Amino acid sequence: AVVSTQSTGILRQLRGVAEGKNPDEFYRGMIKSKMVGGKHQLHTDNTLSHATVQLLKSQDANYLRLKLQAERSKVSKMESVLHGTRDERKSTHTFFRDS
């Protein structure tokens, strides 16, 4: 009897909420949802077209080339600063050949 009274009260509250809603109400989520077995399921299509995939790959490759070029320029600048600071010795050993 207690469970029946509780469920009746809950149903009465839900009916009041449903009556208070505007029938013309619209949510963006309604576009991508559908009913499956009485429950709402979001329908998402996460597949990319072949052209989109190729575009993304080319953009990634271009970005990597750009970063590689930036790193190479940093290295060349650092090497130019270090030029002459190394102790580069020329070989002073003399070879004598008997002819």
Side-chain angles (χ1 to χ4, degrees):
V2 175
V3 175
S4 175
T5 306
Q6 287 176 349
S7 63
T8 307
I10 291 171
L11 287 174
R12 190 175 303 124
Q13 285 177 343
L14 291 175
R15 279 192 197 103
V17 170
E19 288 173 0
K21 286 197 173 194
N22 183 0
D24 296 329
E25 214 169 344
F26 176 75
Y27 296 103
R28 294 280 176 208
M30 293 178 181
I31 295 172
K32 295 182 180 181
S33 69
K34 61 181 180 176
M35 295 288 282
V36 176
K39 295 185 179 181
H40 287 281
Q41 299 261 329
L42 283 178
H43 175 69
T44 55
D45 186 18
N46 293 334
T47 59
L48 298 174
S49 68
H50 181 70
T52 306
V53 170
Q54 292 300 322
L55 176 66
L56 291 174
K57 283 183 180 181
S58 69
Q59 287 176 347
D60 289 346
N62 290 338
Y63 177 76
L64 290 176
R65 268 190 239 111
L66 176 75
K67 286 299 178 181
L68 180 64
Q69 183 179 6
E71 288 298 318
R72 283 183 178 162
S73 68
K74 284 181 188 178
V75 168
S76 67
K77 285 180 185 177
M78 293 173 113
E79 284 178 347
S80 68
V81 169
L82 290 176
H83 186 69
T85 59
R86 292 186 203 148
D87 196 18
E88 297 175 4
R89 296 182 187 173
K90 293 187 177 182
S91 178
T92 58
H93 190 77
T94 308
F95 289 103
F96 294 101
R97 252 175 64 178
D98 292 334
S99 16

